[in-house]
Amino acid sequence: MRVISKTRKMTGFFALGAILLFSACAAQRAAVEHIARADLAIHQTQQTEAEKYAPAELHQAQEKLDAAKKAEAAGDYKESRQLSNESIINTQLAEAKVLSEKAQNNVYESRKTTETLRKETQRNRDARQAN
Amino acid sequence: MNATSRKRHTLHSILLMVCLSFFTCLLMITMFIGCAANNANFKMAKSQYEEAAASSEIMANSPAHMQEAKKNLDLAADKHDDTDQSHYSYLATKHVEIARAESNRKSAESALVDQRTSRNHELLSARTREADAAHKATKLANQRTQDAEDRAATSKTEADAARASASDMAARNKELRKDLTDLQSRETNRGLEITLQGTYFEVEKSDLKAGAMHNLDLVAKAMRNYPGQEAIIEGFTDNTGTDDFNQELSQQRANSVSNYLIKQGVQSSRLIAQGYGEKYPSVSNDTSSGRQQNRRVDIVLLNKGQKAQDSLRK
């Protein structure tokens, strides 16, 4: 009876340890996965002229990623995950800003072209009237 | 004993409950303080979200990110942990910013479409105007060409007429001269001038000598042949005698020639007789032969179309 109970206790401890170990591993894996995702997101964002149109957001994303890596190394997996997510949202913002800036530049250019065109046609009209 | 033991037990229970509720209160206060401390991030996220949500443009242009922002804001509101609340507030703020950027992009895109449309419109109307102008210019050019052609035709006609009249005039003068071969005549820019020398007149008188009659008959005939032909009869003298006498004599001699021609059937309206006295000598008065030449009457048969009134010596 006593032996069995001892064995049971041991098993219980092992199980508890395994669960703790497993969950710790799972948390770490999740953190690493998030870091990888954030890393990839930054690489993708760098392809989109974010350096030119949204440098602050890109920089912020990079800083958050670095912090996430540090937190993961320190074993703060939850914080690391959150930092990775914050890095990712910054890359999303950077991309949105790139598209927005480009669209607004297009509008500006188009307005200039239209203005030039209008002036030119006005000039032509004046010249014709002068004739 | 039993009673005291139960009493103590109850006392313990009450003490425990008091302690528990105290700790609960402490915990709640801590939580509340935690929330309050964290409110800065959360409050900011909330106000930013509400500001964006008030814009129907942002709500319409980026509903997905606004929804994400709301979700994160709700999560943040539920969290009591300081870092968690900050984290979700941060995400909510960023989603709002993304929604703004996306909304700006879409507005710009639609502005671009509007602008392209208006530019195309502008181009089209410019082209229309250009085409119209070109059409007008062509019409004008055609009109000008037509005018030029008309003018050319007119001037050709005029040139032809002038040429014709010139040759006509030359022919006519030739005719006249043939008619008047016996007379001393010369062509000037006024017309054909015939000089009747002083020998045709009685000395210091205006009466014509018989010999002059024959020549004047030729002139009268020529003038009858060319109706509309006008003539000026100009009388001149030499420089001997007084001016008044000379003027009078020259006028009378011109008059008698004129009268003779009228008698021969030339309408008086076609003739003007004018005496000039000793003015306009044709040669020098220094010699007697010169003076003789200056005593004369000139009949100027004017060029066709010229009026006698307009052709007098000034």
Side-chain angles (χ1 to χ4, degrees), chain B:
Chain B
M1 180 67 190
N2 210 354
T4 26
S5 151
R6 196 180 295 157
K7 208 174 176 183
R8 265 174 71 185
H9 189 77
T10 321
L11 203 71
H12 269 155
S13 296
I14 290 165
L15 211 68
L16 197 70
M17 275 176 73
V18 167
C19 276
L20 260 174
S21 52
F22 176 73
F23 276 117
T24 313
C25 276
L26 207 67
L27 196 69
M28 278 174 78
I29 286 163
T30 318
M31 267 164 52
F32 181 73
I33 288 167
C35 282
N38 201 15
N39 252 352
N41 282 329
F42 177 70
K43 251 185 176 170
M44 202 172 77
K46 197 168 181 236
S47 83
Q48 283 193 6
Y49 171 80
E50 278 163 0
E51 199 186 319
S55 158
S56 58
E57 196 188 342
I58 295 173
M59 290 304 274
N61 281 339
S62 188
H65 280 287
M66 288 305 285
Q67 215 173 334
E68 278 297 303
K70 179 89 181 81
K71 211 170 86 186
N72 280 296
L73 205 59
D74 290 345
L75 274 172
D78 288 343
K79 296 291 171 187
H80 301 304
D81 181 72
D82 191 74
T83 47
D84 282 356
Q85 195 171 46
S86 280
H87 172 63
Y88 288 110
S89 296
Y90 185 86
L91 292 185
T93 311
K94 292 293 164 183
H95 275 295
V96 170
E97 283 183 41
I98 292 172
R100 279 185 186 281
E102 199 169 62
S103 176
N104 283 345
R105 172 173 65 83
K106 285 187 177 170
S107 299
E109 278 166 358
S110 76
L112 196 65
V113 170
D114 287 352
Q115 230 169 56
R116 292 222 167 110
T117 313
S118 91
R119 192 199 307 171
N120 285 343
H121 184 73
E122 180 93 7
L123 262 176
L124 188 70
S125 60
R127 270 185 210 139
T128 312
R129 273 199 302 275
E130 240 150 64
D132 284 352
H135 184 65
K136 240 184 253 172
T138 313
K139 255 170 86 178
L140 195 68
N142 284 343
Q143 186 62 48
R144 277 185 187 155
T145 312
Q146 189 61 49
D147 287 353
E149 277 169 5
D150 289 353
R151 265 202 303 280
T154 312
S155 59
K156 189 171 178 294
T157 317
E158 274 167 10
D160 285 350
R163 231 188 337 269
S165 96
S167 67
D168 184 39
M169 210 176 286
R172 193 190 56 136
N173 285 351
K174 213 167 144 194
E175 279 291 301
L176 274 173
R177 196 174 311 176
K178 213 168 77 191
D179 289 346
L180 307 170
T181 36
D182 297 343
L183 298 173
Q184 200 181 335
S185 68
R186 61 193 178 280
E187 265 179 85
T188 69
N189 54 5
R190 288 202 290 179
L192 196 65
E193 288 188 18
I194 302 150
T195 299
L196 302 176
Q197 286 301 343
T199 48
Y200 291 145
F201 297 95
E202 302 290 343
V203 176
E204 300 207 341
K205 285 190 178 162
S206 58
D207 300 334
L208 287 163
K209 280 185 178 172
M213 309 289 186
H214 172 66
N215 289 334
L216 286 176
D217 285 345
L218 291 177
V219 173
K221 187 181 159 203
M223 283 194 78
R224 281 200 304 273
N225 286 345
Y226 294 95
Q229 166 92 55
E230 299 198 354
I232 300 172
I233 296 128
E234 298 173 327
F236 303 95
T237 64
D238 59 22
N239 63 350
T240 59
T242 65
D243 284 352
D244 285 348
F245 177 77
N246 286 339
Q247 176 64 40
E248 185 69 29
L249 183 63
S250 65
Q251 184 67 56
Q252 280 176 5
R253 282 181 172 178
N255 284 347
S256 57
V257 170
S258 171
N259 289 338
Y260 184 80
L261 289 174
I262 290 164
K263 232 186 280 174
Q264 297 303 312
V266 179
Q267 295 98 320
S268 61
S269 60
R270 290 164 63 192
L271 300 168
I272 286 181
Q274 178 67 53
Y276 289 104
E278 60 185 71
K279 282 180 276 181
Y280 308 113
S282 63
V283 292
S284 165
N285 280 311
D286 291 348
T287 62
S288 67
S289 75
R291 284 194 290 278
Q292 195 184 342
Q293 279 186 55
N294 285 336
R295 292 193 295 271
R296 67 196 196 278
V297 169
D298 283 350
I299 300 172
V300 185
L301 293 169
L302 294 170
N303 284 330
K304 192 177 169 190
Q306 282 193 20
K307 295 283 163 209
Q309 195 62 49
D310 304 329
S311 305
L312 289 171
R313 285 176 196 266
K314 296 278 150 44

Side-chain angles (χ1 to χ4, degrees), chain A residues 60 64 78 82 85-86 89-90 92-93 96-97 99-100 103-104 106-107 110-111 113-114 117-118 121 124-125 128, chain B residues 65 81 83-84 87 90-91 94-95 97-98 101-102 104-105 108-109 111-112 115 118-119 122-123 126 129-130 133:
Chain A
Q60 187 81 12
K64 293 276 182 190
K78 187 186 165 194
Q82 287 185 345
N85 282 338
E86 288 176 10
I89 195 91
N90 270 298
Q92 285 179 5
L93 178 57
K97 282 205 166 173
L99 292 178
S100 163
Q104 279 170 47
N106 285 344
V107 173
S110 167
R111 191 167 296 155
T113 313
T114 309
L117 188 75
R118 188 169 297 146
T121 54
N124 285 346
R125 208 181 312 172
R128 257 203 311 279
Chain B
H65 280 287
D81 181 72
T83 47
D84 282 356
H87 172 63
Y90 185 86
L91 292 185
K94 292 293 164 183
H95 275 295
E97 283 183 41
I98 292 172
E102 199 169 62
N104 283 345
R105 172 173 65 83
E109 278 166 358
L112 196 65
Q115 230 169 56
S118 91
R119 192 199 307 171
E122 180 93 7
L123 262 176
R129 273 199 302 275
E130 240 150 64

